[in-house]
């Protein structure tokens, strides 16, 4: 590979990173600009409807703590035209289906009809419903069917306000979370692609791929709690299914990354977590398909896998520190970043368990993940660039070791390597061709070495154009060239190459018009792998070349 090609490839890696960073910054700036209009939304009219609800037996109904253990129940409330103010009814629900009646007439129904494999839970979802205009009081009734009789469900933030304003206000609340998810996804995607297709990564490839996969899965897990995605898809149950799947597979790329970063790539702990992750997923999918249970009800199984994975990660980090197999540049960052993420994740899990009847956004874990991926991802980017530089340098050294600087053809060292290869082949037919440039000494003596160099480069160009498609071309030194042509000297391809050779010399002389024309003597002989000695065939080709050279001087 030529130096120019290596520089071009390395430049592409840097360009990809620069473009991605620029794109991320543009998104962040754009979102900040949009958020500048948030204040005016806070002053829009809204009337709180969270109080004043009652069950059929007259007992007060707390919207944030609805009944458990019943298959169906009804709550109702009187409303006035002053409260409604010609606005929409806006609120959030969690894991309930319902019908809304206005003075006995149904005005809204919410049910999800999705394939069984996606489960029943839809998490938290936003609603905004237009209410018919009226002059006095009206009865608003909600007939509720809990998805899980014994699990928490609620109606939250019920208000009368403009529906469009409510949606924009709630989306603004999730905007920063969406930005973080997008940044994490792009960051992880870049790392994953570079890890798959980048060159010279060697043993760091798994490390880079795993942190990229971890970033992508983390972003998918976090974004499922953002209302933007639910509104875009229109199906919160499928979005929530993605939430469960992402959480199931979150820890496997994490432990693979830590295992590689700590020098424990072959640790059996990663295999254990992999089996647990796959088993957990298969069991939950099967139980859901059979109708025995549901992802929501089996969430504790995923929590167990996460707890085991976190424990194994701590073991790998401690083992890496004790055995000093850690990369000295990363272990401090990894310990701090992982510790912070584990603390924030633990906090959100505890919050979810203690306050399951409320909407828990997982903000602590979001920021923890963002911090972790920003720190570790940036480090891995520097690793990719450094390995690319080293690979570029190694390829450059190989370029200099096996290629002639003046002509770009392979040199004698490369020829010896190729000769050794075909010498040890059991079968194979090649044609050895020896070339010698005429009049080089006269050109150097009478017109200078610059013209001599032009003559050598012209000879190399002609030989490469003529025989390069069917063989390997070498400059042996001075005015001598050599070609190892694949096939016999009686083959049609060899005859075509010889004809090209003669015509290319004529074309070169007509185009360049050097003080002395390009003239090349050559000789050739067949080499049969497994029976002939290369030295003998080379000697015959050289003798025939010399005979042609003598005849050309007459």
């Amino acid at each position: 590979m030529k130096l120019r090609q290596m520089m071009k490839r390395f430049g592409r890696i840097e360009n990809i990173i620069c473009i991605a960073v620029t794109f991320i910054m543009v998104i962040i700036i754009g979102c900040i600009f949009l958020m500048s209009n948030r204040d005016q939304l806070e002053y829009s009219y809204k009337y709180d409807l969270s109080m004043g609800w009652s069950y059929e037996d007259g007992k007060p109904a707390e919207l944030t703590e609805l009944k458990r253990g019943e298959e169906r129940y009804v709550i109702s409330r009187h409303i006035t035209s002053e409260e409604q103010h010609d606005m929409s009814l806006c609120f959030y629900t969690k894991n309930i289906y319902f019908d809304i009646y206005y003075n006995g007439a149904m005005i809204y129904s919410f049910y999800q009809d999705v394939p069984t494999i996606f489960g029943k839970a839809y998490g938290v979802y936003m609603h905004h419903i237009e209410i018919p205009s009226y002059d006095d009081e009206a009865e608003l009734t909600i007939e509720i069917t809990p998805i899980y009789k014994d699990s928490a469900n609620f109606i939250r933030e019920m208000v009368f306000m403009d529906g469009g304003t409510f949606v924009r206000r709630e989306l603004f609340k999730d905007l920063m979370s969406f930005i973080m998810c997008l940044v994490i996804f792009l960051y992880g995607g870049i790392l994953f692609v570079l890890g798959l297709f980048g060159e010279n990564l060697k043993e760091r490839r798994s490390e880079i791929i795993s942190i990229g996969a971890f970033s992508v899965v983390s972003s998918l897990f976090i974004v499922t709690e953002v209302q933007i995605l639910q509104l875009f898809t229109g199906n919160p149950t499928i979005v929530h299914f993605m939430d469960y799947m992402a959480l199931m597979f979150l820890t496997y790329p994490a432990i693979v990354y830590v295992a590689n970063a700590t020098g424990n790539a072959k640790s059996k702990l990663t295999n254990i977590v992999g089996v647990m992750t796959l088993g957990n997923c298969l069991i939950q999918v099967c139980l859901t398909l059979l109708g025995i249970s549901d992802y929501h009800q089996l969430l504790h199984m995923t929590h167990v896998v996460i707890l085991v994975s976190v424990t194994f990660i701590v073991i790998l980090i401690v083992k890496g520190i004790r055995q000093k197999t850690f990369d000295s540049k990363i272990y401090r960052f990894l310990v701090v970043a992982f510790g912070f993420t584990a603390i924030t994740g633990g906090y959100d899990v505890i919050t979810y368990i203690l306050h399951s009847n409320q909407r828990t956004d997982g903000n602590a874990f979001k920021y923890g993940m963002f911090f972790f991926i920003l720190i570790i991802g940036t480090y891995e980017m520097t690793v990719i660039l450094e390995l690319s530089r080293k690979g570029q340098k190694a390829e450059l050294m190989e370029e200099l070791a096996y290629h002639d600087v003046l002509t770009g053809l392979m040199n004698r060292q490369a020829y010896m390597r190729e000769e050794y290869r075909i010498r040890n082949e059991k079968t194979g037919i090649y044609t050895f061709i020896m070339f010698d440039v005429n009049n080089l000494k006269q050109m150097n003596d009478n017109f200078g070495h610059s013209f001599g160099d032009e003559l050598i480069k012209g000879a190399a160009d002609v030989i490469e154009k003529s025989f390069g498609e069917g063989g390997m071309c070498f400059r042996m030194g001075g005015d001598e060239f050599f070609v190892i042509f694949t096939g016999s000297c009686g083959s049609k391809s060899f005859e075509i190459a010889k004809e090209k050779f003669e015509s290319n010399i004529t074309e070169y002389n007509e185009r360049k018009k050097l003080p002395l024309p390009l003239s090349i003597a050559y000789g050739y002989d067949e080499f049969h792998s497994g029976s002939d000695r290369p030295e003998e065939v080379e000697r015959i080709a050289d003798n025939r070349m010399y005979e042609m050279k003598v005849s050309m001087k007459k």
Side-chain angles (χ1 to χ4, degrees):
M1 184 180 293
K2 300 295 177 61
L3 176 60
R4 185 180 300 174
Q5 293 174 310
M6 290 187 289
M7 291 297 294
K8 185 177 180 180
R9 189 188 69 232
F10 179 66
R12 284 200 297 266
I13 295 175
E14 290 187 321
N15 289 338
I16 289 172
I17 295 174
C18 291
I19 291 171
V21 171
T22 303
F23 181 64
I24 291 170
M25 293 306 299
V26 169
I27 292 174
I28 293 174
I29 293 171
C31 291
I32 291 174
F33 175 76
L34 291 173
M35 290 184 70
S36 63
N37 297 320
R38 180 177 178 176
D39 290 342
Q40 68 186 40
L41 299 177
E42 299 299 331
Y43 295 99
S44 300
Y45 172 84
K46 64 179 180 179
Y47 186 86
D48 187 7
L49 286 176
S50 60
M51 306 296 292
W53 293 87
S54 60
Y55 293 106
E56 291 178 290
D57 58 5
K59 293 182 179 180
E62 189 72 32
L63 295 185
T64 57
E65 295 185 19
L66 294 172
K67 281 185 178 181
R68 298 191 188 190
E70 296 189 16
E71 293 185 359
R72 197 174 184 87
Y73 54 87
V74 176
I75 61 173
S76 59
R77 185 190 194 279
H78 289 286
I79 57 174
T80 66
S81 58
E82 292 182 357
E83 294 173 341
Q84 197 261 339
H85 205 71
D86 293 328
M87 294 292 176
S88 298
L89 179 64
C90 307
F91 56 95
Y92 282 98
T93 61
K94 178 181 179 181
N95 292 337
I96 59 171
Y97 295 140
F98 57 92
D99 300 311
I100 297 182
Y101 297 86
Y102 167 75
N103 284 338
M106 182 186 293
I107 60 172
Y108 184 77
S109 181
F110 179 73
Y111 291 89
Q112 290 280 289
D113 184 17
V114 295
T116 307
I117 191 172
F118 295 116
K120 296 182 289 185
Y122 64 82
V124 178
Y125 192 58
M126 179 195 306
H127 309 266
H128 56 98
I129 307 157
E130 291 187 8
I131 301 294
S133 299
Y134 56 94
D135 296 327
D136 200 3
E137 292 190 356
E139 181 80 11
L140 197 61
T141 304
I142 305 178
E143 195 172 286
I144 297 172
T145 303
I147 295 176
Y148 306 105
K149 292 191 297 182
D150 298 324
S151 298
N153 49 74
F154 61 70
I155 299 174
R156 185 177 63 81
E157 297 182 25
M158 181 174 281
V159 295
F160 275 135
M161 68 180 298
D162 177 72
T165 303
F166 175 76
V167 172
R168 289 196 300 273
R169 188 192 70 176
E170 297 305 307
L171 292 182
F172 275 130
K173 289 181 180 179
D174 289 335
L175 192 56
M176 284 307 299
S177 295
F178 181 74
I179 293 173
M180 285 192 296
C181 291
L182 189 58
V183 171
I184 292 173
F185 183 85
L186 290 174
Y187 221 47
I190 293 169
L191 286 168
F192 188 81
V193 171
L194 290 178
L196 280 178
F197 302 106
E199 297 184 9
N200 305 308
L201 300 181
K202 299 179 182 179
E203 68 277 0
R204 305 301 287 268
R205 188 177 301 277
S206 295
E207 180 180 319
I208 295 168
I209 291 175
S210 57
I211 190 62
F214 177 70
S215 302
V216 171
V217 176
S218 297
S219 67
L220 295 177
F221 169 66
I222 297 172
V223 80
T224 54
E225 297 298 326
V226 177
Q227 293 298 314
I228 294 174
L229 188 62
Q230 295 191 0
L231 291 176
F232 179 76
T233 60
N235 198 319
T237 304
I238 295 178
V239 173
H240 210 53
F241 169 76
M242 186 174 74
D243 181 24
Y244 290 127
M245 291 295 109
L247 185 61
M248 286 182 196
F249 289 97
L250 185 63
T251 56
Y252 182 67
I255 194 170
V256 172
Y257 172 74
V258 173
N260 281 274
T262 58
N264 296 291
K266 297 182 179 180
S267 174
K268 293 181 180 180
L269 298 183
T270 57
N271 296 333
I272 294 173
V273 172
V275 172
M276 290 181 66
T277 299
L278 187 59
N280 177 44
C281 179
L282 291 175
I283 291 172
Q284 292 201 33
V285 169
C286 290
L287 292 178
T288 300
L289 285 172
L290 294 172
I292 298 174
S293 192
D294 185 75
Y295 303 116
H296 178 80
Q297 297 164 316
L298 299 170
L299 194 58
H300 60 277
M301 292 178 59
T302 302
H303 289 162
V304 170
V305 175
I306 292 174
L307 181 61
V308 173
S309 301
V310 171
T311 304
F312 286 174
I313 287 173
V314 172
I315 292 172
L316 289 172
I317 292 175
V318 173
K319 185 178 179 181
I321 294 173
R322 287 182 175 179
Q323 297 181 348
K324 297 182 179 180
T325 53
F326 242 137
D327 185 332
S328 59
K329 295 180 180 179
I330 190 178
Y331 85 90
R332 290 186 180 88
F333 295 110
L334 182 59
V335 170
V336 173
F338 172 74
F340 185 73
T341 307
I343 291 171
T344 54
Y347 172 80
D348 280 341
V349 169
I350 294 172
T351 303
Y352 174 83
I353 295 172
L354 296 179
H355 304 285
S356 58
N357 63 323
Q358 301 177 18
R359 183 188 177 194
T360 55
D361 297 319
N363 281 322
F365 181 69
K366 293 174 188 175
Y367 291 116
M369 290 301 305
F370 185 77
F371 175 77
F372 179 89
I373 292 169
L374 186 65
I375 296 297
I376 303 302
T378 301
Y379 169 78
E380 294 299 337
M381 287 288 189
T382 62
V383 168
I384 292 172
L385 291 174
E386 182 62 26
L387 291 174
S388 297
R389 290 191 182 96
K390 290 180 178 179
Q392 174 194 359
K393 185 177 179 180
E395 289 182 2
L396 176 59
M397 296 301 293
E398 183 177 358
E399 179 81 11
L400 295 174
Y402 292 102
H403 286 79
D404 178 62
V405 176
L406 180 62
T407 64
L409 297 182
M410 288 179 284
N411 58 18
R412 180 180 288 275
Q413 188 72 17
Y415 166 75
M416 293 174 65
R417 182 177 62 179
E418 183 63 18
E419 182 199 69
Y420 177 81
R421 185 187 68 80
I422 64 175
R423 179 197 295 269
N424 290 283
E425 283 185 354
K426 293 183 179 180
T427 58
I429 301 175
Y430 301 91
T431 300
F432 285 7
I433 316 170
M434 180 73 77
F435 299 86
D436 189 90
V437 180
N438 297 323
N439 305 319
L440 179 60
K441 187 175 186 304
Q442 289 178 323
M443 183 73 87
N444 285 332
D445 292 344
N446 297 327
F447 304 101
H449 286 275
S450 60
F451 280 98
D453 289 345
E454 284 297 318
L455 202 64
I456 291 172
K457 288 191 287 185
D461 186 55
V462 166
I463 293 170
E464 174 68 26
K465 285 182 178 179
S466 305
F467 296 95
E469 290 184 5
M472 302 178 68
C473 305
F474 308 87
R475 183 189 179 197
M476 307 299 282
D479 55 4
E480 293 183 356
F481 293 85
F482 199 93
V483 169
I484 299 178
F485 192 86
T486 303
S488 70
C489 57
S491 64
K492 185 177 180 180
S493 60
F494 183 70
E495 291 300 323
I496 292 173
K498 284 200 301 179
E499 292 174 5
K500 283 185 179 180
F501 179 68
E502 298 296 340
S503 63
N504 285 335
I505 290 178
T506 302
E507 187 273 333
Y508 177 84
N509 286 328
E510 291 175 353
R511 177 167 49 87
K512 286 293 186 176
K513 299 186 183 303
L514 294 176
L516 293 175
L518 175 64
S519 174
I520 306 174
Y522 65 93
Y524 56 86
D525 191 31
E526 279 188 15
F527 171 79
H528 296 262
S529 298
S531 59
D532 293 340
R533 295 176 61 249
E535 297 84 355
E536 183 62 25
V537 178
E538 291 166 14
R539 185 187 63 79
I540 294 172
D542 186 61
N543 288 338
R544 290 175 178 173
M545 179 272 294
Y546 182 73
E547 290 172 2
M548 177 182 281
K549 191 174 187 71
V550 172
S551 66
M552 294 174 75
K553 290 182 179 180
K554 292 181 180 180

